[in-house]
Amino acid sequence: TTDNQNHPPIFELKAELNSDKKEKKKEAVKKVIASMTVGKDVSALFPDVVNCMQTDNLELKKLVYLYLMNYAKSQPDMAIMAVNTFVKDCEDPNPLIRALAVRTMGCIRVDKITEYLCEPLRKCLKDEDPYVRKTAAVCVAKLHDINAQLVEDQGFLDTLKDLISDSNPMVVANAVAALSEIAESHPNSNLLDLNPQTINKLLTALNECTEWGQIFILDCLANYTPRDDRESQSICERVTPRLSHANSAVVLSAVKVLMKFMEMLPKDLDYYGTLLKKLAPPLVTLLSAEPELQYVALRNINLIVQRRPEILKHEMKVFFVKYNDPIYVKLEKLDIMIRLASQANIAQVLAELKEYATEVDVDFVRKAVRAIGRCAIKVEQSAERCVSTLLDLIQTKVNYVVQEAIVVIKDIFRKYPNKYESVIATLCENLDSLDEPEARAAMIWIVGEYAERIDNADELLESFLEGFHDESTQVQLQLLTAIVKLFLKKPTETQELVQQVLSLATQDSDNPDLRDRGYIYWRLLSTDPVAAKEVVLAEKPLISEETDLIEPTLLEELICHIGTLASVYHKPPSAFVEGSRGVQHKRIPGNLGSGESVESPDNGSAAGVTEAPPAVIPSQGDLLGDLLNLDLTPPTTTGPPPISSGMQMGAMDLLGGGLDSLVGLRHNTERSFRSPSPPDYSPTEVGPGGHMGAGFGAPPAVMPASFNAPVSVGLDDLFDLGGGVGMPMGAFNPPKTVWLPAMKAKGLEISGTFVRRAGVIQMEMNLTNKAMSVMTDFAIQFNRNSFGLASAGPLQILTPLSPNQSIEAALPLSTVGPVMKMEPLNNLQVAVKNNIDVFYFSCQYPISMLFVEDGKMERQVFLATWKDIPNDNESQFQIKDCHLNSDAASNKLQSSNIFTIAKRTVEGQDMLYQSMKLTNGIWVLAELRVQAGNPNYTTILKSKQRITSLIIIHTVSERPFCTNWNLICYIL
């Protein structure tokens, strides 16, 4: 809107504010507040509104104070005009007005004014009315946040400590709350000097103050360490009645105090057993509340059960799932059921879990099947019954039930070796139905581990090998290990199979983890077969009973934070609370050396029972990509890396040609583009008993050409396409667009774009504050997305964002985050948090941001790859109205990492052959046909992954291609 449209209402309001009629003046202030609330700037009326402070009308005074709190920071000089009125109001006969004045004083965060407010605050802290005193106590904490030194110099902290002895319980509660908040910002100060006399006063006030006052006092009590077990018991006895309070927050705060002080009570004390019994009913009662409160209660109960399972050991039934429970409540109940499972109740638990496994909710069914496996591992006496239950579930032939059952049976084999292997035949019958990576990997592990018991183990593993490159990384790694195990057990029958898998892993794969493991196995088998057996067929450690228990020291800290966000997140406050305030790490007092402490989980168990994975399982390329992409600096030398002088010659021989052969570097300057010959697994070298000698072929001396860094193939000089890795000059940066409008984000507007500089994707944003309040504490988080985009660091906005102010921020992104296919493929869901709220929006990034700098394929590799891609994976379309010649087009495209590999001219038409590589390792090949004098180009795109559609985003209206070419490949 224009100034002409804005000025009349302001002048109109100004006239009404200066009216002699009280009612008209009050209505005018209401209109001002209404305008301020919707985000309009009415700061020009500051003097006129301040003049309205001189009134006896409490409603009008509240409105004026509200206006002052909002605009005082932006109008500090004007705000001083209100000081005299504050001082006067602090001596008003009406205690409500005195309290209102002192509350507003604390909310006006202007340094110039604070020193004038010290005297009125001192009077209010000693006011005869308790309502004024309790309000003044909170004001001290707010003033300390603005100017800590001033509060200390004026002696307000000592006055606050005196208020703990106040006769009014609410004054005591507010004084405790204020001192606790101040102590949080000064962790080493001894502001809350808790002693038995102070504790007695707090416990006395506890019975009479409001529910929130009780929470403040209970939280303060939780920070106290009793002198002995008698004092601990005395405090517990006086806190126990709070367990029957109607407010769930009071109940949880009381539980926190009791859980902490129980540690100091002797376990053989009668009162200890009584206290355990008293803790169960209030926790059970919390589960009758609405689902959201149930979830918070369950997360806290999860911690309590890990620390003291005996509290709820007889209450298993309350955690049985109801048909109308939300999924988040169901999953949490399931987790607690497993923690409480014991020999006494296992039959009941298994019957429930088997029932859950027939539900319609897929996620819940998966978790229930996994829970049966966890029961088998936790309660040994129930293992046979659990395995029987799992076999019954496999017979249902429900795909996802079968797959989860196979995953947990693999863990049962690990826990109880040579006991339940008779079920392997049943598992093998369901081999063809497995389509989830984790289930396929589990089945492959079983086949490899028990190959000597399975007659056709080689055929089963060979069936997986047929689609090796289409499998996920998890399956590929497991398949590689399983076939090597099979070879070590049946060497004469599986030489071709092991040769095939090692060749696939080391020569045809671009996954560094897979390549490395393949080379390690290769070297072991070719140099020391005995060592290979000892390594690959080593005895597996038994998996632990509980692999998802919280680490004991963290659990102690979380118990001290029961009833807070930390107990819901299961993370310490320091993990998610931002800001300059120090976060004090809390510990439970008492003797933790008794047999009651929770055992540390066995972190060494590689195949322990873990939480259910996300529903979407990334493919190999999505999950890891090619680690070579991380090296964005051009090499400084062309020769092989120098060999350490300390390296023994034996180590060099073991590598069959030195380190340079392993990474594909040659001493001579020429490059060999032929594929390496497969290693020779000579049957004659396999001795009696299957022992292998040195005839086991060494790995190829030259890596496949596709693994090498991009090199010149003679075209660089011709088309000037050379240059090191990094963004060429002239790369197109899309203009910023509005991602989050102010009207949808309470005044915060975010516009932005994506750019790629020096190999790093950056999210460049402009944040504008169109609200009337200051914005701070910014943070950003991305949802899972198609290419694993995630923030590589925090959102760096170090200064508060004032009203009508804009700030620019550049956020570097990585591509190693969690992956999930989005629609459209380049969609990115973002959450931005500040001190006001959390806001969500979606934006779309140009796919060209994902084209990496090493996307230039070698010419021979390009030719072979082009021929290998079937015609079904080819898409053709026209680019219209572009007047660049082929050389100019090639240079433009190179600025977006679309590299020209070769060029030929046929009948006056230039044909450019180009390659590009995405961050997830997927290659896309292109042919661009440019006819002299014809502004329309023809483009053909090919990829080994099927391209189902291609969209050209026109970033410039008239000549988009001349500026940039962005291809979005929807790849299945």
Side-chain angles (χ1 to χ4, degrees), residues 93-112:
N94 186 342
L96 292 176
I97 290 181
R98 296 203 297 274
L100 180 64
V102 77
R103 179 186 291 118
T104 310
M105 282 159 41
C107 294
I108 295 178
R109 303 176 64 83
V110 177
D111 291 333
K112 292 183 181 178

Side-chain angles (χ1 to χ4, degrees), residues 18-48:
N18 292 307
S19 171
D20 295 331
K21 297 179 181 178
K22 289 185 179 179
E23 281 303 315
K24 198 170 183 181
K25 188 178 286 190
K26 186 163 76 172
E27 288 302 315
V29 174
K30 283 183 179 179
K31 290 177 185 175
V32 171
I33 299 298
S35 299
M36 181 181 80
T37 306
V38 297
K40 290 185 180 177
D41 185 6
V42 286
S43 58
L45 297 170
F46 198 93
D48 306 286

Side-chain angles (χ1 to χ4, degrees), residues 243-260:
L243 293 174
S244 57
H245 201 284
N247 188 309
S248 54
V250 176
V251 174
L252 285 174
S253 293
V255 168
K256 171 169 60 181
V257 175
L258 296 174
M259 284 289 293
K260 187 172 180 183

Side-chain angles (χ1 to χ4, degrees), residues 468-474 476 509-512 514 617-627 629 786-788 815-817 819 917-923 945:
F468 184 81
H469 289 303
D470 298 326
E471 299 284 4
S472 72
T473 305
Q474 183 181 11
Q476 289 177 327
S509 172
D510 60 355
N511 185 317
L514 190 61
I617 301 186
S619 65
Q620 168 202 345
D622 294 335
L623 193 64
L624 294 173
D626 189 344
L627 287 181
N629 294 345
S786 305
F787 290 91
T815 54
V816 294
V819 175
K917 182 182 174 186
L918 297 168
T919 53
N920 60 6
I922 291 175
W923 288 88
Q945 289 73 15

Side-chain angles (χ1 to χ4, degrees), residues 857 859-871 874-875 904 911-915 924-929 939-944:
M857 192 178 276
R859 184 158 54 176
Q860 274 76 3
V861 177
F862 182 97
L863 183 61
T865 307
W866 184 276
K867 290 178 180 178
D868 286 345
I869 298 174
N871 293 334
E874 182 178 298
S875 295
R904 63 191 180 109
M911 303 175 76
L912 301 179
Y913 293 93
Q914 296 164 318
S915 70
V924 181
L925 310 185
E927 178 186 88
L928 182 65
R929 299 174 182 173
T939 300
I940 297 172
L941 285 171
K942 301 179 76 169
S943 175
K944 285 188 176 179

Side-chain angles (χ1 to χ4, degrees), residues 605-653:
S605 302
V609 183
T610 58
E611 291 295 326
V616 177
I617 301 186
S619 65
Q620 168 202 345
D622 294 335
L623 193 64
L624 294 173
D626 189 344
L627 287 181
L628 295 176
N629 294 345
L630 296 178
D631 184 13
L632 296 177
T633 53
T636 53
T637 60
T638 56
I643 299 169
S644 169
S645 58
M647 183 179 290
Q648 297 178 359
M649 286 306 295
M652 287 296 297
D653 294 338

Side-chain angles (χ1 to χ4, degrees), residues 888-941:
S890 174
N891 287 328
K892 279 289 180 188
L893 292 174
Q894 187 178 345
S895 69
S896 288
N897 293 334
I898 299 171
F899 298 93
T900 300
I901 308 303
K903 172 185 172 183
R904 63 191 180 109
T905 303
V906 179
E907 297 178 357
Q909 185 179 51
D910 289 340
M911 303 175 76
L912 301 179
Y913 293 93
Q914 296 164 318
S915 70
M916 62 214 84
K917 182 182 174 186
L918 297 168
T919 53
N920 60 6
I922 291 175
W923 288 88
V924 181
L925 310 185
E927 178 186 88
L928 182 65
R929 299 174 182 173
V930 181
Q931 183 81 43
N934 185 353
N936 299 333
Y937 297 172
T938 301
T939 300
I940 297 172
L941 285 171

Side-chain angles (χ1 to χ4, degrees), residues 765-786:
M765 292 175 285
N766 192 295
L767 288 79
T768 304
N769 182 357
K770 295 190 175 181
M772 292 297 106
S773 55
V774 177
M775 295 181 180
T776 57
D777 303 331
F778 285 90
I780 191 167
Q781 190 168 342
F782 299 151
N783 196 2
R784 293 185 294 176
N785 53 81
S786 305

